[in-house]
Short mmCIF file of all heavy atoms in Angstrom, two decimals:
data_model
loop_
_atom_site.label_atom_id
_atom_site.label_comp_id
_atom_site.label_asym_id
_atom_site.label_seq_id
_atom_site.Cartn_x
_atom_site.Cartn_y
_atom_site.Cartn_z
N LYS F 199 88.43 167.34 100.07
CA LYS F 199 87.67 168.53 100.00
C LYS F 199 86.23 168.04 100.65
O LYS F 199 85.78 167.05 100.46
CB LYS F 199 87.42 168.80 98.54
CG LYS F 199 88.63 169.26 97.73
CD LYS F 199 88.29 169.76 96.41
CE LYS F 199 87.58 168.62 95.51
NZ LYS F 199 88.57 167.59 95.03
N ALA F 200 85.70 169.16 101.31
CA ALA F 200 84.29 168.90 101.81
C ALA F 200 83.31 169.89 101.12
O ALA F 200 83.69 171.10 100.97
CB ALA F 200 84.27 169.18 103.35
N ILE F 201 82.25 169.43 100.71
CA ILE F 201 81.13 170.08 100.19
C ILE F 201 79.97 170.04 101.08
O ILE F 201 79.40 168.90 101.28
CB ILE F 201 80.78 169.65 98.67
CG1 ILE F 201 81.91 169.94 97.77
CG2 ILE F 201 79.58 170.38 98.16
CD1 ILE F 201 81.70 169.52 96.39
N GLY F 202 79.46 171.15 101.57
CA GLY F 202 78.22 171.16 102.37
C GLY F 202 77.05 171.65 101.55
O GLY F 202 77.23 172.71 100.92
N LEU F 203 75.97 171.00 101.61
CA LEU F 203 74.70 171.42 100.94
C LEU F 203 73.72 171.86 102.00
O LEU F 203 73.39 171.01 102.94
CB LEU F 203 74.10 170.25 100.09
CG LEU F 203 75.12 169.59 99.06
CD1 LEU F 203 74.42 168.55 98.28
CD2 LEU F 203 75.68 170.63 98.10
N SER F 204 73.17 173.07 101.85
CA SER F 204 72.33 173.48 102.93
C SER F 204 71.27 174.33 102.42
O SER F 204 71.45 175.08 101.36
CB SER F 204 73.12 174.29 103.95
OG SER F 204 72.37 174.98 104.90
N ALA F 205 70.08 174.39 103.12
CA ALA F 205 69.01 175.35 102.84
C ALA F 205 69.56 176.64 103.44
O ALA F 205 70.59 176.78 104.03
CB ALA F 205 67.73 174.98 103.49
N THR F 206 68.76 177.81 103.15
CA THR F 206 69.14 179.01 103.72
C THR F 206 69.22 178.98 105.27
O THR F 206 68.29 178.45 105.87
CB THR F 206 68.13 180.11 103.27
OG1 THR F 206 68.05 179.99 101.83
CG2 THR F 206 68.60 181.45 103.75
N VAL F 207 70.19 179.56 105.84
CA VAL F 207 70.44 179.47 107.32
C VAL F 207 70.65 180.90 107.84
O VAL F 207 71.03 181.80 107.12
CB VAL F 207 71.55 178.56 107.71
CG1 VAL F 207 71.17 177.04 107.42
CG2 VAL F 207 72.81 178.95 106.94
N ALA F 208 70.52 180.92 109.18
CA ALA F 208 70.59 182.24 109.87
C ALA F 208 72.13 182.62 110.00
O ALA F 208 72.52 183.79 109.94
CB ALA F 208 69.90 182.31 111.22
N GLN F 209 72.93 181.60 110.30
CA GLN F 209 74.37 181.90 110.49
C GLN F 209 75.29 180.98 109.55
O GLN F 209 75.84 180.05 109.98
CB GLN F 209 74.79 181.52 112.01
CG GLN F 209 74.07 182.41 113.05
CD GLN F 209 72.74 181.79 113.43
OE1 GLN F 209 72.61 180.55 113.39
NE2 GLN F 209 71.82 182.52 113.89
N PRO F 210 75.43 181.41 108.33
CA PRO F 210 76.22 180.60 107.33
C PRO F 210 77.67 180.43 107.72
O PRO F 210 78.34 179.46 107.42
CB PRO F 210 76.06 181.26 106.07
CG PRO F 210 75.62 182.67 106.35
CD PRO F 210 74.85 182.58 107.59
#
Side-chain angles (χ1 to χ4, degrees):
K199 300 186 295 287
I201 295 175
L203 308 180
S204 174
T206 306
V207 290
Q209 297 91 24

